[in-house]
Structure formats: C-alpha cells, structure tokens
PDB file of all heavy atoms in Angstrom:
ATOM      1  N   PHE A 873      22.076-139.516 -18.952  1.00 93.00           N
ATOM      2  CA  PHE A 873      23.209-138.544 -18.936  1.00 93.00           C
ATOM      3  C   PHE A 873      24.365-138.874 -18.134  1.00 93.00           C
ATOM      4  O   PHE A 873      25.281-138.124 -17.840  1.00 93.00           O
ATOM      5  CB  PHE A 873      22.664-137.189 -18.470  1.00 93.00           C
ATOM      6  CG  PHE A 873      21.635-136.439 -19.406  1.00 93.00           C
ATOM      7  CD1 PHE A 873      20.280-136.550 -18.924  1.00 93.00           C
ATOM      8  CD2 PHE A 873      21.927-135.965 -20.585  1.00 93.00           C
ATOM      9  CE1 PHE A 873      19.290-136.052 -19.752  1.00 93.00           C
ATOM     10  CE2 PHE A 873      20.917-135.443 -21.293  1.00 93.00           C
ATOM     11  CZ  PHE A 873      19.600-135.424 -20.982  1.00 93.00           C
ATOM     12  N   ALA A 874      24.464-140.135 -17.738  1.00 94.00           N
ATOM     13  CA  ALA A 874      25.401-140.658 -16.746  1.00 94.00           C
ATOM     14  C   ALA A 874      26.806-140.442 -17.200  1.00 94.00           C
ATOM     15  O   ALA A 874      27.777-139.951 -16.401  1.00 94.00           O
ATOM     16  CB  ALA A 874      25.167-142.096 -16.296  1.00 94.00           C
ATOM     17  N   ASP A 875      27.117-140.785 -18.541  1.00 94.00           N
ATOM     18  CA  ASP A 875      28.531-140.521 -19.006  1.00 94.00           C
ATOM     19  C   ASP A 875      28.954-139.139 -19.059  1.00 94.00           C
ATOM     20  O   ASP A 875      30.061-138.880 -18.639  1.00 94.00           O
ATOM     21  CB  ASP A 875      28.527-141.158 -20.444  1.00 94.00           C
ATOM     22  CG  ASP A 875      28.398-142.725 -20.435  1.00 94.00           C
ATOM     23  OD1 ASP A 875      28.546-143.251 -19.433  1.00 94.00           O
ATOM     24  OD2 ASP A 875      28.266-143.197 -21.586  1.00 94.00           O
ATOM     25  N   VAL A 876      27.960-138.176 -19.415  1.00 94.00           N
ATOM     26  CA  VAL A 876      28.364-136.828 -19.299  1.00 94.00           C
ATOM     27  C   VAL A 876      28.637-136.384 -17.921  1.00 94.00           C
ATOM     28  O   VAL A 876      29.640-135.699 -17.718  1.00 94.00           O
ATOM     29  CB  VAL A 876      27.179-135.963 -20.011  1.00 94.00           C
ATOM     30  CG1 VAL A 876      27.509-134.512 -19.844  1.00 94.00           C
ATOM     31  CG2 VAL A 876      26.876-136.354 -21.367  1.00 94.00           C
ATOM     32  N   VAL A 877      27.804-136.718 -16.967  1.00 95.00           N
ATOM     33  CA  VAL A 877      27.940-136.369 -15.663  1.00 95.00           C
ATOM     34  C   VAL A 877      29.313-136.813 -15.030  1.00 95.00           C
ATOM     35  O   VAL A 877      30.091-136.160 -14.377  1.00 95.00           O
ATOM     36  CB  VAL A 877      26.846-136.784 -14.756  1.00 95.00           C
ATOM     37  CG1 VAL A 877      27.068-136.575 -13.278  1.00 95.00           C
ATOM     38  CG2 VAL A 877      25.406-136.053 -15.272  1.00 95.00           C
ATOM     39  N   ASP A 878      29.587-138.068 -15.415  1.00 94.00           N
ATOM     40  CA  ASP A 878      30.974-138.613 -14.862  1.00 94.00           C
ATOM     41  C   ASP A 878      32.027-137.771 -15.310  1.00 94.00           C
ATOM     42  O   ASP A 878      33.095-137.645 -14.647  1.00 94.00           O
ATOM     43  CB  ASP A 878      31.078-140.108 -15.331  1.00 94.00           C
ATOM     44  CG  ASP A 878      30.187-141.084 -14.603  1.00 94.00           C
ATOM     45  OD1 ASP A 878      29.650-140.693 -13.535  1.00 94.00           O
ATOM     46  OD2 ASP A 878      29.963-142.293 -15.199  1.00 94.00           O
ATOM     47  N   ARG A 879      32.001-137.266 -16.595  1.00 94.00           N
ATOM     48  CA  ARG A 879      33.130-136.558 -17.076  1.00 94.00           C
ATOM     49  C   ARG A 879      33.179-135.093 -16.490  1.00 94.00           C
ATOM     50  O   ARG A 879      34.291-134.558 -16.411  1.00 94.00           O
ATOM     51  CB  ARG A 879      32.976-136.390 -18.575  1.00 94.00           C
ATOM     52  CG  ARG A 879      33.148-137.779 -19.392  1.00 94.00           C
ATOM     53  CD  ARG A 879      33.519-137.487 -20.839  1.00 94.00           C
ATOM     54  NE  ARG A 879      32.547-136.729 -21.483  1.00 94.00           N
ATOM     55  CZ  ARG A 879      31.501-137.150 -22.016  1.00 94.00           C
ATOM     56  NH1 ARG A 879      31.220-138.534 -22.025  1.00 94.00           N
ATOM     57  NH2 ARG A 879      30.664-136.432 -22.710  1.00 94.00           N
ATOM     58  N   VAL A 880      32.073-134.508 -16.238  1.00 96.00           N
ATOM     59  CA  VAL A 880      32.063-133.090 -15.821  1.00 96.00           C
ATOM     60  C   VAL A 880      32.114-132.812 -14.332  1.00 96.00           C
ATOM     61  O   VAL A 880      32.528-131.806 -13.876  1.00 96.00           O
ATOM     62  CB  VAL A 880      30.870-132.326 -16.484  1.00 96.00           C
ATOM     63  CG1 VAL A 880      30.865-132.571 -17.989  1.00 96.00           C
ATOM     64  CG2 VAL A 880      29.568-132.747 -15.770  1.00 96.00           C
ATOM     65  N   ARG A 881      31.640-133.805 -13.589  1.00 93.00           N
ATOM     66  CA  ARG A 881      31.477-133.431 -12.152  1.00 93.00           C
ATOM     67  C   ARG A 881      32.774-133.121 -11.408  1.00 93.00           C
ATOM     68  O   ARG A 881      32.758-132.334 -10.389  1.00 93.00           O
ATOM     69  CB  ARG A 881      30.716-134.552 -11.403  1.00 93.00           C
ATOM     70  CG  ARG A 881      31.446-135.938 -11.418  1.00 93.00           C
ATOM     71  CD  ARG A 881      30.639-136.962 -10.659  1.00 93.00           C
ATOM     72  NE  ARG A 881      30.132-136.500  -9.405  1.00 93.00           N
ATOM     73  CZ  ARG A 881      28.875-136.743  -8.986  1.00 93.00           C
ATOM     74  NH1 ARG A 881      28.045-137.532  -9.805  1.00 93.00           N
ATOM     75  NH2 ARG A 881      28.467-136.297  -7.885  1.00 93.00           N
ATOM     76  N   GLY A 882      33.790-133.587 -11.816  1.00 93.00           N
ATOM     77  CA  GLY A 882      35.217-133.254 -11.193  1.00 93.00           C
ATOM     78  C   GLY A 882      35.523-131.777 -11.315  1.00 93.00           C
ATOM     79  O   GLY A 882      36.329-131.266 -10.429  1.00 93.00           O
ATOM     80  N   ALA A 883      34.934-131.020 -12.259  1.00 95.00           N
ATOM     81  CA  ALA A 883      35.279-129.692 -12.298  1.00 95.00           C
ATOM     82  C   ALA A 883      34.278-128.778 -11.556  1.00 95.00           C
ATOM     83  O   ALA A 883      34.451-127.456 -11.545  1.00 95.00           O
ATOM     84  CB  ALA A 883      35.329-129.254 -13.794  1.00 95.00           C
ATOM     85  N   VAL A 884      33.219-129.281 -10.993  1.00 95.00           N
ATOM     86  CA  VAL A 884      32.253-128.463 -10.314  1.00 95.00           C
ATOM     87  C   VAL A 884      32.552-128.407  -8.844  1.00 95.00           C
ATOM     88  O   VAL A 884      32.931-129.415  -8.196  1.00 95.00           O
ATOM     89  CB  VAL A 884      30.818-129.098 -10.437  1.00 95.00           C
ATOM     90  CG1 VAL A 884      29.876-128.094  -9.723  1.00 95.00           C
ATOM     91  CG2 VAL A 884      30.567-129.114 -11.909  1.00 95.00           C
ATOM     92  N   VAL A 885      32.608-127.230  -8.237  1.00 93.00           N
ATOM     93  CA  VAL A 885      33.069-127.150  -6.715  1.00 93.00           C
ATOM     94  C   VAL A 885      32.020-126.465  -5.946  1.00 93.00           C
ATOM     95  O   VAL A 885      31.152-125.860  -6.442  1.00 93.00           O
ATOM     96  CB  VAL A 885      34.432-126.331  -6.676  1.00 93.00           C
ATOM     97  CG1 VAL A 885      35.549-127.106  -7.404  1.00 93.00           C
ATOM     98  CG2 VAL A 885      34.277-124.972  -7.390  1.00 93.00           C
ATOM     99  N   SER A 886      32.210-126.616  -4.657  1.00 91.00           N
ATOM    100  CA  SER A 886      31.362-125.794  -3.695  1.00 91.00           C
ATOM    101  C   SER A 886      32.213-124.580  -3.272  1.00 91.00           C
ATOM    102  O   SER A 886      33.387-124.675  -3.028  1.00 91.00           O
ATOM    103  CB  SER A 886      31.043-126.643  -2.466  1.00 91.00           C
ATOM    104  OG  SER A 886      30.376-125.820  -1.502  1.00 91.00           O
ATOM    105  N   VAL A 887      31.516-123.462  -3.338  1.00 91.00           N
ATOM    106  CA  VAL A 887      32.294-122.290  -2.916  1.00 91.00           C
ATOM    107  C   VAL A 887      31.675-121.811  -1.579  1.00 91.00           C
ATOM    108  O   VAL A 887      30.540-121.601  -1.346  1.00 91.00           O
ATOM    109  CB  VAL A 887      31.891-121.070  -3.876  1.00 91.00           C
ATOM    110  CG1 VAL A 887      32.657-119.774  -3.445  1.00 91.00           C
ATOM    111  CG2 VAL A 887      32.348-121.495  -5.250  1.00 91.00           C
ATOM    112  N   LYS A 888      32.663-121.757  -0.499  1.00 90.00           N
ATOM    113  CA  LYS A 888      32.298-121.366   0.835  1.00 90.00           C
ATOM    114  C   LYS A 888      33.014-120.108   1.122  1.00 90.00           C
ATOM    115  O   LYS A 888      34.115-119.911   0.959  1.00 90.00           O
ATOM    116  CB  LYS A 888      32.722-122.427   1.751  1.00 90.00           C
ATOM    117  CG  LYS A 888      32.057-123.721   1.683  1.00 90.00           C
ATOM    118  CD  LYS A 888      32.413-124.779   2.850  1.00 90.00           C
ATOM    119  CE  LYS A 888      31.681-126.035   2.701  1.00 90.00           C
ATOM    120  NZ  LYS A 888      32.020-127.021   3.902  1.00 90.00           N
ATOM    121  N   VAL A 889      32.173-119.095   1.663  1.00 90.00           N
ATOM    122  CA  VAL A 889      32.657-117.752   1.865  1.00 90.00           C
ATOM    123  C   VAL A 889      32.286-117.322   3.250  1.00 90.00           C
ATOM    124  O   VAL A 889      31.134-117.379   3.649  1.00 90.00           O
ATOM    125  CB  VAL A 889      32.091-116.789   0.864  1.00 90.00           C
ATOM    126  CG1 VAL A 889      32.641-115.424   1.000  1.00 90.00           C
ATOM    127  CG2 VAL A 889      32.209-117.286  -0.546  1.00 90.00           C
ATOM    128  N   LYS A 890      33.250-116.818   4.067  1.00 87.00           N
ATOM    129  CA  LYS A 890      32.963-116.214   5.346  1.00 87.00           C
ATOM    130  C   LYS A 890      32.420-114.812   5.084  1.00 87.00           C
ATOM    131  O   LYS A 890      32.945-114.016   4.432  1.00 87.00           O
ATOM    132  CB  LYS A 890      34.208-116.173   6.109  1.00 87.00           C
ATOM    133  CG  LYS A 890      34.829-117.506   6.571  1.00 87.00           C
ATOM    134  CD  LYS A 890      35.899-117.276   7.563  1.00 87.00           C
ATOM    135  CE  LYS A 890      36.409-118.748   8.056  1.00 87.00           C
ATOM    136  NZ  LYS A 890      37.638-118.532   8.981  1.00 87.00           N
ATOM    137  N   VAL A 891      31.263-114.674   5.889  1.00 80.00           N
ATOM    138  CA  VAL A 891      30.543-113.385   5.740  1.00 80.00           C
ATOM    139  C   VAL A 891      30.471-112.709   7.117  1.00 80.00           C
ATOM    140  O   VAL A 891      29.957-113.267   7.959  1.00 80.00           O
ATOM    141  CB  VAL A 891      29.219-113.421   5.165  1.00 80.00           C
ATOM    142  CG1 VAL A 891      28.498-112.144   5.141  1.00 80.00           C
ATOM    143  CG2 VAL A 891      29.163-113.999   3.769  1.00 80.00           C
ATOM    144  N   THR A 892      31.166-111.568   7.330  1.00 70.00           N
ATOM    145  CA  THR A 892      31.227-111.030   8.610  1.00 70.00           C
ATOM    146  C   THR A 892      30.109-109.882   8.606  1.00 70.00           C
ATOM    147  O   THR A 892      30.045-109.004   7.870  1.00 70.00           O
ATOM    148  CB  THR A 892      32.602-110.291   8.863  1.00 70.00           C
ATOM    149  OG1 THR A 892      33.597-111.178   8.932  1.00 70.00           O
ATOM    150  CG2 THR A 892      32.556-109.548  10.207  1.00 70.00           C
ATOM    151  N   GLU A 893      29.226-110.077   9.563  1.00 62.00           N
ATOM    152  CA  GLU A 893      28.102-109.127   9.748  1.00 62.00           C
ATOM    153  C   GLU A 893      28.491-108.123  10.813  1.00 62.00           C
ATOM    154  O   GLU A 893      29.062-108.388  11.830  1.00 62.00           O
ATOM    155  CB  GLU A 893      26.860-109.935  10.281  1.00 62.00           C
ATOM    156  CG  GLU A 893      26.293-110.821   9.274  1.00 62.00           C
ATOM    157  CD  GLU A 893      24.779-111.115   9.485  1.00 62.00           C
ATOM    158  OE1 GLU A 893      24.439-110.938  10.641  1.00 62.00           O
ATOM    159  OE2 GLU A 893      24.104-111.498   8.519  1.00 62.00           O
ATOM    160  N   ASP A 894      28.292-106.823  10.436  1.00 53.00           N
ATOM    161  CA  ASP A 894      28.641-105.732  11.249  1.00 53.00           C
ATOM    162  C   ASP A 894      27.633-105.747  12.416  1.00 53.00           C
ATOM    163  O   ASP A 894      26.608-106.264  12.465  1.00 53.00           O
ATOM    164  CB  ASP A 894      28.447-104.329  10.579  1.00 53.00           C
ATOM    165  CG  ASP A 894      29.430-104.322   9.418  1.00 53.00           C
ATOM    166  OD1 ASP A 894      30.518-104.848   9.543  1.00 53.00           O
ATOM    167  OD2 ASP A 894      29.112-103.621   8.375  1.00 53.00           O
ATOM    168  N   ALA A 895      28.099-104.926  13.515  1.00 42.00           N
ATOM    169  CA  ALA A 895      27.282-104.752  14.594  1.00 42.00           C
ATOM    170  C   ALA A 895      25.979-104.043  14.224  1.00 42.00           C
ATOM    171  O   ALA A 895      25.940-103.203  13.296  1.00 42.00           O
ATOM    172  CB  ALA A 895      27.926-104.020  15.799  1.00 42.00           C
ATOM    173  N   GLU A 896      24.842-104.400  14.944  1.00 42.00           N
ATOM    174  CA  GLU A 896      23.642-103.799  14.572  1.00 42.00           C
ATOM    175  C   GLU A 896      23.627-102.219  14.891  1.00 42.00           C
ATOM    176  O   GLU A 896      24.380-101.834  15.766  1.00 42.00           O
ATOM    177  CB  GLU A 896      22.512-104.392  15.370  1.00 42.00           C
ATOM    178  CG  GLU A 896      22.281-105.897  14.995  1.00 42.00           C
ATOM    179  CD  GLU A 896      21.194-106.458  15.841  1.00 42.00           C
ATOM    180  OE1 GLU A 896      21.348-106.458  17.182  1.00 42.00           O
ATOM    181  OE2 GLU A 896      20.284-107.018  15.386  1.00 42.00           O
ATOM    182  N   SER A 897      22.866-101.575  14.031  1.00 35.00           N
ATOM    183  CA  SER A 897      22.794-100.138  14.279  1.00 35.00           C
ATOM    184  C   SER A 897      22.130 -99.754  15.594  1.00 35.00           C
ATOM    185  O   SER A 897      21.403-100.584  16.265  1.00 35.00           O
ATOM    186  CB  SER A 897      22.028 -99.456  13.156  1.00 35.00           C
ATOM    187  OG  SER A 897      20.641 -99.914  13.226  1.00 35.00           O
ATOM    188  N   ASP A 898      22.345 -98.517  16.128  1.00 36.00           N
ATOM    189  CA  ASP A 898      21.694 -98.067  17.274  1.00 36.00           C
ATOM    190  C   ASP A 898      20.194 -98.275  17.397  1.00 36.00           C
ATOM    191  O   ASP A 898      19.590 -98.493  18.331  1.00 36.00           O
ATOM    192  CB  ASP A 898      22.116 -96.617  17.603  1.00 36.00           C
ATOM    193  CG  ASP A 898      23.591 -96.543  17.925  1.00 36.00           C
ATOM    194  OD1 ASP A 898      24.248 -97.503  18.368  1.00 36.00           O
ATOM    195  OD2 ASP A 898      24.171 -95.304  17.890  1.00 36.00           O
ATOM    196  N   ASP A 899      19.663 -97.980  16.113  1.00 34.00           N
ATOM    197  CA  ASP A 899      18.159 -98.149  16.051  1.00 34.00           C
ATOM    198  C   ASP A 899      17.619 -99.521  16.384  1.00 34.00           C
ATOM    199  O   ASP A 899      16.491 -99.790  16.808  1.00 34.00           O
ATOM    200  CB  ASP A 899      17.747 -97.708  14.607  1.00 34.00           C
ATOM    201  CG  ASP A 899      17.939 -96.257  14.396  1.00 34.00           C
ATOM    202  OD1 ASP A 899      18.068 -95.523  15.408  1.00 34.00           O
ATOM    203  OD2 ASP A 899      17.975 -95.813  13.231  1.00 34.00           O
ATOM    204  N   SER A 900      18.453-100.626  16.065  1.00 36.00           N
ATOM    205  CA  SER A 900      18.079-101.928  16.352  1.00 36.00           C
ATOM    206  C   SER A 900      18.413-102.407  17.742  1.00 36.00           C
ATOM    207  O   SER A 900      17.997-103.587  18.064  1.00 36.00           O
ATOM    208  CB  SER A 900      18.703-102.874  15.283  1.00 36.00           C
ATOM    209  OG  SER A 900      20.193-102.864  15.582  1.00 36.00           O
ATOM    210  N   LYS A 901      19.049-101.616  18.517  1.00 41.00           N
ATOM    211  CA  LYS A 901      19.413-102.051  19.853  1.00 41.00           C
ATOM    212  C   LYS A 901      18.275-101.961  20.746  1.00 41.00           C
ATOM    213  O   LYS A 901      17.378-101.138  20.700  1.00 41.00           O
ATOM    214  CB  LYS A 901      20.440-101.261  20.477  1.00 41.00           C
ATOM    215  CG  LYS A 901      21.810-101.380  19.781  1.00 41.00           C
ATOM    216  CD  LYS A 901      22.892-100.430  20.295  1.00 41.00           C
ATOM    217  CE  LYS A 901      24.271-100.597  19.579  1.00 41.00           C
ATOM    218  NZ  LYS A 901      25.277 -99.732  20.183  1.00 41.00           N
ATOM    219  N   PRO A 902      17.952-102.950  21.652  1.00 42.00           N
ATOM    220  CA  PRO A 902      16.869-102.948  22.531  1.00 42.00           C
ATOM    221  C   PRO A 902      16.962-101.790  23.560  1.00 42.00           C
ATOM    222  O   PRO A 902      18.028-101.323  23.795  1.00 42.00           O
ATOM    223  CB  PRO A 902      17.071-104.359  23.399  1.00 42.00           C
ATOM    224  CG  PRO A 902      17.954-105.155  22.548  1.00 42.00           C
ATOM    225  CD  PRO A 902      18.855-104.101  21.769  1.00 42.00           C
ATOM    226  N   ASN A 903      15.817-101.311  23.886  1.00 43.00           N
ATOM    227  CA  ASN A 903      15.806-100.185  24.702  1.00 43.00           C
ATOM    228  C   ASN A 903      15.916-100.677  26.269  1.00 43.00           C
ATOM    229  O   ASN A 903      14.937-101.218  26.777  1.00 43.00           O
ATOM    230  CB  ASN A 903      14.317 -99.447  24.633  1.00 43.00           C
ATOM    231  CG  ASN A 903      14.322 -98.236  25.535  1.00 43.00           C
ATOM    232  OD1 ASN A 903      15.338 -97.752  25.953  1.00 43.00           O
ATOM    233  ND2 ASN A 903      13.082 -97.694  25.660  1.00 43.00           N
ATOM    234  N   ILE A 904      17.081-100.534  26.728  1.00 43.00           N
ATOM    235  CA  ILE A 904      17.380-101.033  28.167  1.00 43.00           C
ATOM    236  C   ILE A 904      17.006 -99.882  29.062  1.00 43.00           C
ATOM    237  O   ILE A 904      17.466 -98.808  29.001  1.00 43.00           O
ATOM    238  CB  ILE A 904      18.874-101.383  28.321  1.00 43.00           C
ATOM    239  CG1 ILE A 904      19.247-102.444  27.360  1.00 43.00           C
ATOM    240  CG2 ILE A 904      19.132-101.765  29.642  1.00 43.00           C
ATOM    241  CD1 ILE A 904      20.769-102.745  27.289  1.00 43.00           C
ATOM    242  N   PRO A 905      16.154-100.187  30.063  1.00 49.00           N
ATOM    243  CA  PRO A 905      15.677 -99.169  30.996  1.00 49.00           C
ATOM    244  C   PRO A 905      16.846 -98.608  31.894  1.00 49.00           C
ATOM    245  O   PRO A 905      17.777 -99.412  32.205  1.00 49.00           O
ATOM    246  CB  PRO A 905      14.631 -99.865  31.864  1.00 49.00           C
ATOM    247  CG  PRO A 905      15.039-101.312  31.724  1.00 49.00           C
ATOM    248  CD  PRO A 905      15.579-101.620  30.359  1.00 49.00           C
ATOM    249  N   GLN A 906      16.762 -97.424  32.422  1.00 52.00           N
ATOM    250  CA  GLN A 906      17.659 -96.931  33.298  1.00 52.00           C
ATOM    251  C   GLN A 906      17.481 -97.483  34.724  1.00 52.00           C
ATOM    252  O   GLN A 906      16.333 -97.391  35.166  1.00 52.00           O
ATOM    253  CB  GLN A 906      17.629 -95.390  33.228  1.00 52.00           C
ATOM    254  CG  GLN A 906      17.952 -94.682  32.020  1.00 52.00           C
ATOM    255  CD  GLN A 906      19.412 -94.848  31.760  1.00 52.00           C
ATOM    256  OE1 GLN A 906      20.266 -94.906  32.592  1.00 52.00           O
ATOM    257  NE2 GLN A 906      19.724 -95.116  30.414  1.00 52.00           N
ATOM    258  N   LEU A 907      18.456 -98.040  35.289  1.00 52.00           N
ATOM    259  CA  LEU A 907      18.251 -98.668  36.555  1.00 52.00           C
ATOM    260  C   LEU A 907      19.117 -97.945  37.627  1.00 52.00           C
ATOM    261  O   LEU A 907      20.169 -97.409  37.347  1.00 52.00           O
ATOM    262  CB  LEU A 907      18.676-100.125  36.536  1.00 52.00           C
ATOM    263  CG  LEU A 907      18.000-101.015  35.428  1.00 52.00           C
ATOM    264  CD1 LEU A 907      18.673-102.271  35.332  1.00 52.00           C
ATOM    265  CD2 LEU A 907      16.462-101.075  35.765  1.00 52.00           C
ATOM    266  N   SER A 908      18.606 -98.032  38.893  1.00 54.00           N
ATOM    267  CA  SER A 908      19.335 -97.377  39.967  1.00 54.00           C
ATOM    268  C   SER A 908      20.526 -98.309  40.320  1.00 54.00           C
ATOM    269  O   SER A 908      20.517 -99.504  40.057  1.00 54.00           O
ATOM    270  CB  SER A 908      18.431 -97.300  41.226  1.00 54.00           C
ATOM    271  OG  SER A 908      17.993 -98.495  41.673  1.00 54.00           O
TER     272      SER A 908
END
C-alpha cells in the first residue's frame, strides 16, 4: 500500500489540545488535622 500511503499521509495531522482540570472537590481534599 506504499503508493497510497505516500499520497495520503500529508493530509493526516496530530491534534493536540490543552485540557484544564478544575480544582478537586472538597470531598477529595485530604483531611488535615487541626494543629495548635
């Protein structure tokens, strides 16, 4: 399939997307002890 691949590969791209993750919910936060 080399000839076909040579013709088509220039139109194929890699899509990179920035994904922003929100801060974790209160339920997921560690339980920090009350300190003096």
Side-chain angles (χ1 to χ4, degrees):
F873 295 103
D875 289 345
V876 176
V877 173
D878 285 345
R879 291 199 305 272
V880 303
R881 65 181 311 141
V884 182
V885 296
S886 170
V887 181
K888 294 186 176 182
V889 184
K890 288 185 179 179
V891 179
T892 302
E893 293 204 335
D894 295 331
E896 295 176 306
S897 65
D898 290 338
D899 290 341
S900 64
K901 294 179 181 178
N903 184 18
I904 301 175
Q906 296 295 321
L907 304 173
S908 63

